Amino acid sequence: MASVPVISTDLEKQQDHYGRSPSSSLHPPASSPMDPRYSSNRDSMAEELTVVQSDSEDNVDAPGEPKLDEKTEHSAYLVKWDGPDDPENPKNWSMAYRWYITAIAGLLVLNATFASSAPSGVVEQLVPKFHLNHSTTVLTISLFVAGYCVGPLLWGPLSEQYGRKPILLVGFGVYTLFQLGAALSENAATLLIMRFLGGTFAASPLTTSGGIIADIWNADIRGKALAFFTLAPFAGPAIGPIVGGYINVGGASWRWLFWVLTIFAGLCFFLILFTIPETYAPVIQTRKAIRKRKESGNDKYFSELEAEDLHWKARLENVLARPFKILFLEPMLIAITLYMSFVYGCIYLLFEAFPIVFTEGHHLNSGESGLMFLPLFFGGVAAVFSYLFYFNPDYERQIPKFAPKMVPPEHRLIPAFYGGPLLVISFLWFGWTSYPSISLWAPMMSSFAMGLGTIYIFLALFNYIIDAYLMVAASALASSTVVRSAFGAGFPLFSTQMYEKLNPRWASTLLAGISLLLLPIPFVLHRYGAYIRRTSKYAPTFD
């Protein structure tokens, strides 16, 4: 995914690589007979190849989507796709293969997030082993999630420079080694360092996997793919305490938890190495240019990525500065990031709130307490299926109405209209049924509504970021992930004190109140998002 500059108002004078105006090329192409636009729009060009001109002097061009001069743009030696049916174009790969890639991308995120919460189940062993207090054991979760703050600063932009697969291989390879280091730790300092560094490298799929999905899917099917993908960041944290809890209850050493994490990470590394191809179009085209130079013996062939030839300082700025430059210059991205970050922080807050309600209040052991997270997971699953069978078909019905243009991103926000109120209700439900005298089923089932609302919010806002920012989506997701991870790392640090000082009723009511304050964000964006995008230099307009 690369950067989209401001779109000039003089659309008739702008053309893509096949001589059509951006009004037609911005609409993603149909690439499968299953696509409703297959027969009428088969010759449409993939959106990431559209070079959009800008009248702005401070237009920013991202790697892979450079602004080429007219002579270079029309050079006979510039390597592009061989027409809309080019088999090397990821959007033309078979439907089954693309769904496999999507499943692996989700598995990578599940792996990283599962590892983040799993140590909560073996806290009872860590305390005497390393002479820790409760506040210090929380760091085994918080420091891992804090690594998510550092990793995306590199992985998202680097994937736009060098491709998705190399970043995932480096990330998971090193991540596996740090999981091994955690399993062999002999003191608390080593364990905590391994957790932080492991989280830093485990963050590679959090931004890169989203880019992979955008690389291989058109906008209409992308919503279905993202529905499954969005479940992974919440399924992982929900499953982690169950696995860790029953390893503890079963009498196995805490080290076995980290051996399990090492094996899981190593398995994912080999899946990436042997089964996942490069999906980033500019990198594939660069390889194609290299191949043509070798086959023809003509060194004049080049790709857009090679033609860009950025100075190392510009590359460094793209890698480190661009995600936050986009974030701070985009009010709607700030609002979305704030909402998603709060929701994400609340998920990690539950790892401290649930033991207070279920372990202390209802006297459950660590394994049984971990099972209380299952409704959170099932709520997420219900949200995904309701999205696939209700919200996504409604989005697909909008496609012919806006063809040949892309459906405005604001249509992606509808699920959040339901998710916001559900989140408020779930916190009140959990808090005011948390009395030990009330059946544990009451607070436990509140997490079903919480999972439902959380996935609705994330599906809506995650899709909105990708559709609104298109070719800078990886950088936009990187900055959003950094802030979101800071909330995820920080919330567990104060959640125990908050739930003990305020008690579960009023602590949950406070969270419900903050959720209520953030609830209008998707409604405001739905009403005014198109106007805001017209003032943006990173988000293309579709009207």
Side-chain angles (χ1 to χ4, degrees), residues 184-314:
L184 298 174
S185 296
E186 293 296 337
N187 55 68
T190 302
L191 177 63
L192 295 178
I193 291 171
M194 292 296 107
R195 291 292 290 169
F196 173 73
L197 294 175
T200 300
F201 285 88
S204 58
L206 297 183
T207 49
T208 307
S209 292
I212 289 174
I213 289 174
D215 291 341
I216 65 178
W217 293 110
N218 302 313
D220 51 348
I221 305 179
R222 187 191 305 144
K224 297 177 182 177
L226 282 173
F228 289 105
F229 175 77
T230 306
L231 182 61
F234 301 96
I239 297 171
I242 300 173
V243 175
Y246 276 104
I247 284 177
N248 181 57
V249 171
S253 167
W254 62 271
R255 296 184 189 275
W256 264 107
L257 172 64
F258 291 100
W259 286 122
V260 169
L261 296 178
T262 302
I263 294 168
F264 191 12
L267 173 64
C268 286
F269 173 80
F270 286 107
L271 285 174
I272 298 167
L273 181 62
F274 294 114
T275 70
I276 300 300
E278 180 55 60
T279 63
Y280 188 44
V283 170
I284 296 174
Q285 290 171 339
T286 298
R287 293 175 181 175
K288 193 173 183 178
I290 294 171
R291 187 172 68 245
K292 281 196 171 187
R293 291 197 292 266
K294 289 182 179 179
E295 292 173 352
S296 66
N298 189 341
D299 291 336
K300 293 183 179 180
Y301 285 105
F302 66 95
S303 69
E304 288 186 350
L305 197 59
E306 292 173 315
E308 187 182 15
D309 193 25
L310 286 179
H311 188 274
W312 69 267
K313 290 184 179 179

Side-chain angles (χ1 to χ4, degrees), residues 24-231:
S24 63
S25 63
L26 274 173
H27 190 66
S31 58
S32 163
M34 296 177 65
D35 191 311
R37 295 168 291 124
Y38 180 84
S39 59
S40 63
N41 201 28
R42 189 72 176 97
D43 64 344
S44 179
M45 177 60 185
E47 71 264 25
E48 74 271 18
L49 291 180
T50 303
V51 174
V52 187
Q53 304 297 329
S54 172
D55 295 330
S56 172
E57 293 182 358
D58 56 355
N59 168 45
V60 176
D61 297 308
E65 304 295 339
K67 181 180 177 181
L68 304 178
D69 58 68
E70 186 174 351
K71 181 179 179 180
T72 305
E73 174 66 29
H74 295 92
S75 171
Y77 296 103
L78 177 60
V79 177
K80 311 167 189 173
W81 297 132
D82 297 330
D85 298 324
D86 190 336
E88 292 189 67
N89 185 343
K91 287 185 170 67
N92 291 332
W93 296 344
S94 73
M95 184 73 72
Y97 189 39
R98 285 183 288 159
W99 274 115
Y100 171 78
I101 294 171
T102 300
I104 297 300
L107 180 67
L108 300 181
V109 176
L110 176 70
N111 187 319
T113 55
F114 166 72
S116 69
S117 65
S120 64
V122 294
V123 165
E124 293 177 6
Q125 293 189 41
L126 295 178
V127 169
K129 169 66 179 178
F130 296 118
H131 309 290
L132 303 175
N133 55 38
H134 179 77
S135 298
T136 309
T137 59
V138 172
L139 292 176
T140 58
I141 296 174
S142 290
L143 284 177
F144 191 92
V145 181
Y148 293 172
C149 300
V150 179
L153 291 174
L154 299 174
W155 311 134
L158 280 174
S159 74
E160 295 171 344
Q161 295 270 353
Y162 304 107
R164 317 298 189 193
K165 185 170 182 175
I167 300 306
L168 287 175
L169 282 174
V170 171
F172 259 84
V174 179
Y175 161 57
T176 302
L177 295 177
F178 284 125
Q179 294 299 87
L180 177 64
L184 298 174
S185 296
E186 293 296 337
N187 55 68
T190 302
L191 177 63
L192 295 178
I193 291 171
M194 292 296 107
R195 291 292 290 169
F196 173 73
L197 294 175
T200 300
F201 285 88
S204 58
L206 297 183
T207 49
T208 307
S209 292
I212 289 174
I213 289 174
D215 291 341
I216 65 178
W217 293 110
N218 302 313
D220 51 348
I221 305 179
R222 187 191 305 144
K224 297 177 182 177
L226 282 173
F228 289 105
F229 175 77
T230 306
L231 182 61

Side-chain angles (χ1 to χ4, degrees), residues 366-383:
S366 57
E368 294 166 340
S369 185
L371 290 174
M372 299 299 102
F373 287 92
L374 279 179
L376 181 71
F377 171 68
F378 290 136
V381 172

Side-chain angles (χ1 to χ4, degrees), residues 431-451:
W432 293 97
T433 60
S434 62
Y435 290 99
S437 58
I438 298 176
S439 170
L440 62 81
W441 283 88
M444 181 182 74
M445 292 310 298
S446 70
S447 64
F448 181 88
M450 196 175 298

